Amino acid sequence: MAMNDSVNILSSAYLAVEYIDSFLPDNPLQQPFKNAWNYMLDNYTKFQIATWGSLLVHEVAYFLLCVPGFIFQFIPYMQKYKIQQDKPETWEKQWKCFKTLLFNHFFIQLPLICGTYYFTEYFNIPYGWEEMPRWYVLVAQCFGCAVIEDAWHYFLHRLLHHKRIYKYIHKVHHEFVSPFGMQAEYAHPLETLILGAGFFIGIVIFCNHVVLLWAWVICRLMETIDVHSGYDVPLNPLHLVPFYAGARFHDFHHMNFIGNYASTFTWWDRLFGTDSQFIAYQEKEKKKQCITKK
C-alpha cells in the first residue's frame, strides 16, 4: 500500500513538472545542442563516444570548474571568503597536486572509463537524440545518484579514517590541511577506486541514456570541487540544494581530520552525530563574531 502511494506521488509530481515545462519558452540552446549531438553520432562510433567522449567531458569539466578557485587566490577582495586565511595556496602544492591528478586520471580513471562502452552495450543504453530524457528527468536522476553516492561515501570515507587503515590510504588526501578546488580528486589510487565506486551505483540504477553519464559527471565534479575550494562564497547556487553541506562543512573535516564524512549532504553526519564538533565550532565562531561587533 505504501509503495503504491509513493508511486502515485512520484507520478503526480512528474506530470506536474511536465505540465509546467509545457508553458516554459523554448530553450535557444536546444537546437545547437541537437545539431552538435547528431553530428557526434554521425561522425564517431559508440566506442569513441563512450570512451573518449567521457574522458573529454571529465577533463574539461574538472579543470574548468577549478578555474574560479584558482583565480580567487590572486584577488585580494576574495580573501575575506577564504575559510582558512592563515594557510594560502602555494605553487609547490598546486604543482604536486596537478601531477598526481594526471596520474590518477589517465592510469586509474581512464581504464575504468574504457568500460563505459561495454556497460552501455550490455544494458542496451541508447545514444540517440530522440531517446534523450527531458531536462527535469536528468535533474531528478542526478539528484538520485547524488543521494546514493553520498551514502556510499559517508560509510566508506568514515571507514578509511579508522586508525588501522588511515595512514595507508586516506592520509594522502589529507596532505592538504587547507584544501583547494584542484585537490578534490587528489588521493591514493586505492581511494580513487573505493570511494569512486559510489559514483557508478546510481548510474547502474538510473541510466537510461548515455547523456546521464556525462550530466552526473559534471554534477559530481561541480559538488566536490566546490566543497574542496577553500572559499565560502555568498550567493553560491549550490546552497539552494536541500541539505547541501558546502565548503565550510568539508573544510572543517580537512582542518581536524575527523567528522563531516559525507560528500554532499549533511543528514548522515547529523544522524550519527559525526558533525557535533563542527556544530560546536560554529557556535564558538558566532560568539566570537558577536563579541567583536560589540
Side-chain angles (χ1 to χ4, degrees), residues 25-293:
D26 292 337
N27 184 351
L29 297 177
Q30 182 172 340
Q31 191 59 44
F33 181 59
K34 179 181 179 180
N35 294 338
W37 190 270
N38 286 329
Y39 176 85
M40 177 183 72
L41 294 177
D42 292 338
N43 290 275
Y44 299 96
T45 66
K46 285 186 176 181
F47 179 82
Q48 290 173 324
I49 293 169
T51 305
W52 305 116
S54 297
L55 177 66
L56 184 65
V57 168
H58 180 272
E59 295 306 300
V60 171
Y62 191 91
F63 289 106
L64 276 182
L65 289 168
C66 287
V67 168
F70 179 78
I71 294 174
F72 287 168
Q73 65 183 309
F74 305 110
I75 304 174
Y77 176 80
M78 295 304 297
Q79 296 313 301
K80 65 181 179 180
Y81 300 120
K82 184 168 173 59
I83 300 167
Q84 297 187 54
Q85 297 186 6
D86 59 329
K87 297 181 178 67
E89 297 91 339
T90 65
W91 286 108
E92 182 183 3
K93 289 180 179 179
Q94 289 175 98
W95 177 240
K96 180 182 180 181
C97 177
F98 181 71
K99 289 187 293 183
T100 301
L101 278 178
L102 290 182
F103 175 84
N104 284 349
H105 285 184
F106 289 97
F107 291 95
I108 306 298
Q109 294 180 9
L110 179 57
L112 296 176
I113 291 172
C114 287
T116 303
Y117 167 74
Y118 303 100
F119 168 78
T120 59
E121 287 295 292
Y122 183 81
F123 289 101
N124 198 28
I125 293 169
Y127 288 62
W129 175 264
E130 297 302 324
E131 298 89 350
M132 190 179 293
R134 296 288 293 171
W135 66 269
Y136 47 84
V137 176
L138 272 177
V139 169
Q141 289 174 325
C142 286
F143 185 78
C145 288
V147 170
I148 293 168
E149 191 281 333
D150 184 70
W152 176 273
H153 192 101
Y154 176 84
F155 292 104
L156 272 295
H157 182 196
R158 189 172 177 179
L159 178 64
L160 289 176
H161 271 270
H162 191 280
K163 60 183 179 181
R164 294 184 179 179
I165 303 174
Y166 174 79
K167 64 181 179 180
Y168 299 108
I169 302 174
H170 193 52
K171 186 178 180 180
V172 173
H173 184 68
H174 277 283
E175 284 182 24
F176 303 103
V177 177
S178 178
F180 48 91
M182 191 169 58
Q183 188 244 334
E185 291 187 344
Y186 179 89
H188 189 284
L190 276 177
E191 179 173 340
T192 300
L193 294 173
I194 294 168
L195 295 185
F199 172 89
F200 297 99
I201 300 173
I203 290 297
V204 172
I205 296 172
F206 296 114
C207 195
N208 58 352
H209 195 280
V210 72
V211 75
L212 176 63
L213 289 165
W214 297 352
W216 172 222
V217 164
I218 293 170
C219 288
R220 179 69 180 109
L221 290 179
M222 194 182 302
E223 176 276 324
T224 191
I225 290 170
D226 177 59
V227 301
H228 285 91
S229 68
Y231 290 83
D232 188 16
V233 180
L235 303 178
N236 184 340
L238 287 175
H239 287 289
L240 296 174
V241 178
F243 302 101
Y244 181 66
R248 196 168 289 277
F249 187 86
H250 192 70
D251 205 279
F252 181 84
H253 175 79
H254 276 264
M255 276 193 287
N256 298 277
F257 309 102
I258 193 170
N260 296 10
Y261 298 111
S263 59
T264 307
F265 305 107
T266 57
W267 51 59
W268 288 112
D269 284 287
R270 288 184 182 179
L271 179 63
F272 291 102
T274 46
D275 64 345
S276 58
Q277 292 188 28
F278 175 65
I279 293 171
Y281 171 78
Q282 282 187 311
E283 290 175 353
K284 287 181 181 178
E285 289 297 305
K286 286 179 181 178
K287 288 179 181 178
K288 285 181 183 179
Q289 289 176 2
C290 289
I291 293 172
T292 303
K293 289 179 180 179

